Amino acid sequence: MRRLARLAAALLGVAAVTLTAACDSGAPAIDLSNSGPPVDTTVNFPAGSTMQRLHDAQKITIGTKFDQPLFGLKNPVTGRPEGFDAEMGKLVAARLGIPANRIEWVETVSANREPFLQQGRVDAVIATYTINDKRKEIINFAGPYYIAGQSLMVRHGNPAEIAGPDDLSGKNVCAVEGSASSTNMRNRVPGAHVVLFDSYSKCAEALKNGQVVAMTTDNTILGGLRSLDEDAFDLVPGTFTQEPYGIGIAKGREDLVRFIDDALRSAFADGAWTTAWDRTAGRILGAAPAPPDVESY
Ligand code: GLU
């Protein structure tokens, strides 16, 4: 119950941070939960395609994180996720001719992303989701739409003096089940005791409580969590992997992968991608980098 209360406080905190940031930058405070890029009204898809089916239904189901500030964080008032991943979802929906309020958002944690796609519970997963060969054996990816890197977060003041992953041998480090971060950490530092939770907000709690000396995942996620609680955490400088974020799609829907790849390419070119970044992750993580090259399917 106390954890729930703290999480609720953190969620309200991020809403306050977002509003303050909006005021500080002079940008209008936009309701990110429902706004989206202009919906394409001139769509024309091949008969029988996945795109035609989604468009005709006027609905797309997207899996994302609900507890990751900057990328996918559920707004406690609207119940809808906000962040860069949510904006990518709206961008894809808009190009399918589906408005943002017709997206059905489903919470995915790291470990259930592939199963949710395979079971058809979601049409796409946009959830700080690294494209890798193991995952590509069972699902497809559009993208990448961003390249993150794995890093470490420690308690404020860094009492265990962790300067990089190799200092974690013999120590407790938190990671999330089913994440590339947990596999990378085990491979890189076999002597580390990797403590697994199902979500990053729970890892942050364990770090705060001193149950682990560090938590490890992408710099993007760590930066977002720290922005909620700057007095509690420090980021260890540097990254030690490359994590290209893709949009997960079930096997057999290669038409949708190609469509999303094209949608990303045009969003990179027309500024929609940069706008999405600036309104979300960019407020804490800084200016948008150059967009990555989309891998052709
Ligand atoms: N990008 C990594 C992954 O896809 C870590 C972040 C996450 O678990 O969502 O596994």
Side-chain angles (χ1 to χ4, degrees):
M1 211 45 219
R2 270 178 55 213
R3 175 178 293 166
L4 270 179
R6 275 196 299 268
L7 184 62
L11 294 175
L12 287 170
V14 85
V17 167
T18 310
L19 282 174
T20 314
C23 297
D24 286 348
S25 70
I30 306 154
D31 173 13
L32 288 173
S33 59
N34 250 337
S35 62
V39 176
D40 198 336
T41 50
T42 58
V43 294
N44 184 13
F45 301 118
S49 63
T50 308
M51 293 76 78
Q52 182 69 57
R53 191 179 53 71
L54 293 169
H55 176 76
D56 286 353
Q58 278 295 290
K59 186 181 137 189
I60 182 168
T61 305
I62 302 179
T64 195
K65 302 292 185 74
F66 278 11
D67 71 336
Q68 288 181 196
L70 310 185
F71 282 78
L73 182 65
K74 187 172 172 179
N75 180 311
V77 178
T78 65
R80 290 177 163 265
E82 295 173 0
F84 187 57
D85 282 339
E87 292 302 300
M88 290 297 102
K90 292 180 202 170
L91 196 139
V92 169
R95 306 228 176 191
L96 285 165
I98 302 173
N101 64 6
R102 297 285 305 171
I103 300 172
E104 186 183 323
W105 295 104
V106 172
E107 181 176 20
T108 46
V109 293
S110 299
N112 65 19
R113 292 175 292 192
E114 293 93 285
F116 273 29
L117 285 166
Q118 289 174 303
Q119 294 157 10
R121 291 174 69 165
V122 293
D123 296 305
V125 168
I126 312 180
T128 58
Y129 201 7
T130 297
I131 302 172
N132 65 33
D133 289 342
K134 193 163 162 251
R135 291 174 178 162
K136 277 205 260 186
E137 284 171 15
I138 48 177
I139 59 144
N140 291 323
F141 284 101
Y145 62 90
Y146 184 78
I147 314 276
Q150 188 166 339
S151 192
L152 300 171
M153 187 162 81
V154 293
R155 253 194 320 288
H156 184 56
N158 198 0
E161 297 184 6
I162 306 298
D166 302 323
D167 293 334
L168 290 167
S169 195
K171 306 239 166 72
N172 288 347
V173 53
C174 192
V176 163
E177 267 157 20
S179 67
S181 328
S182 61
T183 315
N184 294 340
M185 178 52 63
R186 287 209 171 96
N187 292 340
R188 167 86 185 238
V189 190
H193 304 143
V194 180
V195 178
L196 294 176
F197 285 93
D198 63 2
S199 71
Y200 290 103
S201 45
K202 290 182 190 162
C203 256
E205 277 297 310
L207 177 58
K208 208 166 166 177
N209 296 339
Q211 293 166 302
V212 296
V213 300
M215 69 178 278
T216 187
T217 187
D218 304 338
N219 54 351
T220 44
I221 299 172
L222 297 175
L225 287 168
R226 182 175 179 272
S227 74
L228 291 181
D229 206 344
E230 292 186 354
D231 295 336
F233 303 120
D234 289 343
L235 300 173
V236 175
T239 56
F240 52 94
T241 67
Q242 282 222 331
E243 307 296 327
Y245 287 172
I247 297 183
I249 304 290
K251 289 270 187 211
R253 291 182 168 184
E254 285 72 17
D255 55 352
L256 186 59
V257 175
R258 279 190 290 271
F259 174 81
I260 295 177
D261 279 344
D262 286 342
L264 288 173
R265 283 190 191 95
S266 49
F268 293 167
D270 69 14
W273 179 85
T274 309
T275 303
W277 176 268
D278 289 346
R279 294 169 63 188
T280 56
R283 291 189 179 277
I284 300 290
L285 301 180
D293 287 332
V294 171
E295 288 165 19
S296 278
Y297 182 72

